[in-house]
Amino acid sequence: MVELVTGHANKAHATAEQAAGLNAGILGLDDYVLDVHDKLKITVVSANKVTIGTGELVMQGRHVSQGTPEDLIVTNGSQGQKRNDLIVCRYAKGSQNIESAKLVVVRGTPTTGTPTDPAVNTTSPLDGGATYDMPLYRIPLDGVTIGTPVPLFNVLKPMSDVWDSLTHTDVTTLISGNYGTVKGYRSGPMVTLRIDWNSSASGSWNSGTFGTLPEGWRPPMDLNFSYGGRDGANQKTINVKADGTLTYANQGGTQGPNAFGITVSYAL
């Protein structure tokens, strides 16, 4: 039977199951931590205690909120043995279809070899599962020592980030001076720069600086591009550094003082 969920029916009729179905349809059937609050950040407090920070998550369409940090106890490890525990967010449907969620430490099996993760509940509540676990962290134990927790979740970025990833900007002058300009535009995560420089450092191995790119235009690591020159002799390397510094370096051979231009593109 068709039902108008977001409409007045003169009675209470919208259900959590319907809300979960909407969330799952929009966000997908994967499980996500949302990009707000502490994003369920973990802190190792002692050899048998960790703290999970605040955050929001969506598991199989179910929205779960952690409004205050929560301490969890990890069973002590044993000398000479290794173990993997998992911290999960556990959904459960109990008697009278009462649903709940809580953070649980699922203990692994100690071994002198390579530890494996313990089994968790994987039948989605959307498929009728009464218990479902969303893994958040792997807690490796070596003897009595807790190792570095390993995040097992994806952070779902907000729609504003998706919008930014699709936006095509206008052409902007990023660097301007007596020797030329560097202009650029962005299309999502891609940057295209057009460098027009009025003179070049002469000498086979000399170099020069264009200037510094502003924040938001800098690559995540140092990049370099080749400039061949119209006569094939004026070889240069164009360097775009992660700190925004934009330079060029002559690469031997005949190098004159003539103007040059080049277009480079890279992903942020």
Side-chain angles (χ1 to χ4, degrees):
M1 180 181 71
V2 172
E3 179 182 6
L4 177 63
V5 177
T6 51
H8 179 63
N10 205 29
K11 63 178 181 179
H13 69 102
T15 67
E17 188 72 26
Q18 291 167 333
L22 179 63
N23 288 338
I26 294 174
L27 303 180
L29 295 179
D30 291 329
D31 302 331
Y32 297 102
V33 169
L34 303 185
D35 194 18
V36 293
H37 308 313
D38 292 335
K39 291 178 281 192
L40 302 177
K41 179 182 178 181
I42 190 171
T43 302
V44 177
V45 179
S46 66
N48 68 342
K49 185 168 74 173
V50 298
T51 299
I52 304 297
T54 60
E56 312 283 334
L57 63 84
V58 176
M59 50 190 292
Q60 303 300 293
R62 268 67 180 176
H63 173 209
V64 180
S65 179
Q66 167 107 325
T68 57
E70 181 174 346
D71 292 336
L72 296 174
I73 299 301
V74 178
T75 303
N76 289 330
S78 303
Q79 289 287 358
Q81 293 187 317
K82 298 180 180 180
R83 195 179 83 226
N84 282 350
D85 289 357
L86 292 180
I87 294 177
V88 305
C89 182
R90 175 165 292 172
Y91 161 90
K93 178 183 287 188
S95 60
Q96 300 181 335
N97 291 327
I98 301 300
E99 298 171 293
S100 64
K102 62 180 179 179
L103 298 181
V104 176
V105 180
V106 183
R107 186 170 183 261
T109 302
T111 178
T112 56
T114 300
T116 58
D117 293 344
V120 296
N121 300 289
T122 59
T123 302
S124 170
L126 295 170
D127 296 326
T131 306
Y132 179 82
D133 294 328
M134 174 183 172
L136 297 175
Y137 292 98
R138 176 184 298 115
I139 307 296
L141 291 99
D142 189 349
V144 298
T145 302
I146 290 182
T148 301
V150 180
L152 301 175
F153 56 83
N154 293 319
V155 176
L156 183 64
K157 296 299 183 181
M159 290 301 297
S160 58
D161 285 11
V162 176
W163 174 256
D164 289 343
S165 72
L166 300 175
T167 300
H168 185 94
T169 68
D170 294 333
V171 175
T172 302
T173 299
L174 305 172
I175 298 172
S176 180
N178 294 333
Y179 293 104
T181 61
V182 178
K183 298 180 180 180
Y185 68 86
R186 287 176 53 180
S187 182
M190 294 298 300
V191 167
T192 297
L193 301 180
R194 172 63 194 184
I195 301 170
D196 289 293
W197 220 240
N198 299 327
S199 65
S200 174
S202 59
S204 299
W205 302 101
N206 288 342
S207 60
T209 299
F210 301 111
T212 302
L213 295 172
E215 293 280 357
W217 297 86
R218 303 173 182 180
M221 64 180 183
D222 292 351
L223 304 175
N224 52 60
F225 303 86
S226 294
Y227 171 79
R230 62 188 177 186
D231 58 6
N234 290 323
Q235 301 289 332
K236 303 180 188 300
T237 297
I238 308 299
N239 304 301
V240 187
K241 296 187 177 181
D243 64 1
T245 304
L246 189 61
T247 65
Y248 67 91
N250 296 339
Q251 298 297 295
T254 302
Q255 297 286 346
N258 298 328
F260 65 97
I262 184 174
T263 300
V264 299
S265 296
Y266 53 87
L268 295 176

